[in-house]
Amino acid sequence: MKKRGLRKAAAGLSVSALVMMSVSPASSATTSTWAGWTDLEGESRDYTASMTLAGQPELSADVTSDSRAGSVGFISGSSTWLSEGTPVGAKYGSSRNQPYLNLRPYADSASSPSTTTYAFDSPTPKSGWSFVLGDIDADQVSISATTAEGHPATSEDLGFKDGFNYCAEGVAGKPSCSGSAEDVPRWDETTLTLTGNDQAEDTSGAAAWFEPNVPLSSLTFEFTRRSGFPVYQTWFVSQARDITGSVIDEVDGPLGGVEVTLTDADGAVLATTTSEADGSYAFPEWFATDGYVVSFTVSDGKTVVGDDSQAIDLSEEDGVADFVVRDDSDEDLDAASDEDAGSDPDADTAADSDAASDEDAGTDPDAASDEDANSDPDAATATDPDADTTSDPDTTSDQEATSDDASDPSADSAVDVAAEADSVADSDDSSAGTGSEADSMGGDDVDSDSAADSTPDPADAAGTDDGGKSADAAEGTGAHAGGTSGSDSSSSSADGARLPVTGSTGLQYSVGLGALLVATGLVLVVAVRRRRG
């Protein structure tokens, strides 16, 4: 049993070490990517294109627009960009040299807005991406969207973050344009409209960014001219993070070739992979959102230690899911070991009981005097007849006699019965030679009898009795008076010298308990005989 326990503990330490040593791929990091676009096709007021958000699973949208022609289409981003000094750039990085889309109104009048719609091929993640509308000055943009459940998105759903000016002086990494930090569009959360400066002047750099926090199936921008010949810009950007982990056998170490599965919150399988020879696996560059679940297939003969699936949230950091298995035979061994521990007569509970009893004996002031009386064959017969009202050494080991003395109005009679029982017990001790078990926890197991140690000596309760003390002195047994303390290692006299506690503590406990039962039985027998008499 001990070997199995050590084996189990060693296996646990090995697993901890192996998991710590199982390092995720060095490339594990947050990745920000600005959207990719296909060429704008069609003609004025009838354009189509495609936009793709980087990340796993791949997310694309079909783009349709009725914008008029004239300097519309995808711009390279080499002269106009969102720098790292802007709020969106601080999170997602600079858009320099990343393309964006330029569009115009349907016609250059306040009553002829253009409508541009992004229809996603699958719902967007509920976090980890953003869209930015720029050059909002002499114009306005109304935004609408449909959630994955088919409901109109609210202002809260659209996740307006802030307005800013990417051309303002002091913006780190800004392009060469000039703008004012006070020139920012304002957001009306009731009408879901982003409006440029109050003067409707054509300026540079006024922009705003959004981070939707619910899955969207479509997103629509309605762009309206307020003055001049305006144009507006659109960027999309997303973040991706990695999911890594390991599969370890708690005894054999890393397990290669184990199939690991990634699913979404609805249980749909997103990807599968297999662990490498070192037990590691990876799902790289998944959208930085939550709702992922990683699980693995347990091979025959193996049992999972802990959970066989783990939820992963990539909203703030990369995800890690480590798994541990063991052989079925190891589990059977542990079960058998636990069963052995439950049936072992030397189990901790028995040992703890002995330890507590030994401690009691060491602190009981009557322990030594009780043992002297038990080991002296003449202790009961030589005691002063008045001992029934003072202190009979053996009565301290008999809980029933003490209890009777405390509760029975005929206390003297009850104590006399106990004294007569002591005489019988002492005569049994004499005839048995060294086997003095009958005299209430006599012999070397007195320490294990918590009942004897914890029962107060009637002499202590009633005060010191001169008659009892003179009787003890006359006998020459060295019995201690009520206040004298004894210890496990000391001896009272040659006759009652205590032997060191040796052998199995379980055996001591059994012998002590048997002696207590025998002594109790003798007291009861004598009591019955006297009452009949």
Side-chain angles (χ1 to χ4, degrees), residues 453-508:
D453 293 335
S454 61
T455 305
D457 193 329
D460 292 338
T464 304
D465 186 282
D466 292 339
K469 290 165 66 174
S470 61
D472 288 342
E475 186 64 24
T477 60
H480 300 291
T484 305
S485 63
S487 65
D488 290 342
S489 60
S490 65
S491 60
S492 309
S493 66
D495 291 337
R498 298 182 62 179
L499 298 176
V501 177
T502 59
S504 167
T505 57
L507 179 58
Q508 294 174 8

Side-chain angles (χ1 to χ4, degrees), residues 165-332:
N165 192 299
Y166 61 80
C167 291
E169 186 176 352
V171 174
K174 78 179 188 68
S176 60
C177 56
S178 296
S180 170
E182 285 74 36
D183 179 19
V184 297
R186 69 179 182 277
W187 171 247
D188 187 327
E189 61 182 18
T190 301
T191 63
L192 308 184
T193 300
L194 195 65
T195 303
N197 60 74
D198 292 340
Q199 295 74 29
E201 295 179 351
D202 185 16
T203 59
S204 298
W209 67 302
F210 299 76
E211 280 189 316
N213 49 56
V214 297
L216 302 178
S217 60
S218 68
L219 179 64
T220 299
F221 304 133
E222 189 175 272
F223 179 64
T224 303
R225 170 190 177 273
R226 294 169 62 214
S227 68
F229 303 96
V231 64
Y232 78 104
Q233 307 151 337
T234 306
W235 287 268
F236 285 87
V237 65
S238 61
Q239 278 188 337
R241 294 190 170 98
D242 297 344
I243 299 172
T244 58
S246 61
V247 183
I248 303 292
D249 185 293
E250 67 175 9
V251 174
D252 299 330
L255 290 180
V258 177
E259 183 178 277
V260 184
T261 303
L262 179 66
T263 58
D264 63 17
D266 297 324
V269 176
L270 300 176
T272 59
T273 188
T274 56
S275 60
E276 301 292 338
D278 63 355
S280 66
Y281 70 89
F283 294 105
E285 297 187 356
W286 286 79
F287 276 112
T289 188
D290 64 355
Y292 299 108
V293 177
V294 179
S295 60
F296 74 107
T297 303
V298 184
S299 59
D300 293 340
K302 299 289 185 182
T303 298
V304 180
V305 178
D307 297 326
D308 60 358
S309 65
Q310 297 184 37
I312 297 294
D313 184 352
L314 299 180
S315 300
E316 301 296 334
E317 60 185 0
D318 291 344
V320 178
D322 294 317
F323 300 99
V324 179
V325 301
R326 67 194 305 177
D327 291 341
D328 288 339
S329 57
D330 291 339
E331 186 174 39
D332 293 340

Side-chain angles (χ1 to χ4, degrees), residues 426-453:
D426 290 340
S427 63
D428 289 343
D429 290 343
S430 300
S431 61
T434 60
S436 59
E437 295 90 339
D439 194 42
S440 91
M441 305 305 293
D444 61 358
D445 196 46
V446 67
D447 296 281
S448 66
D449 184 0
S450 58
D453 293 335

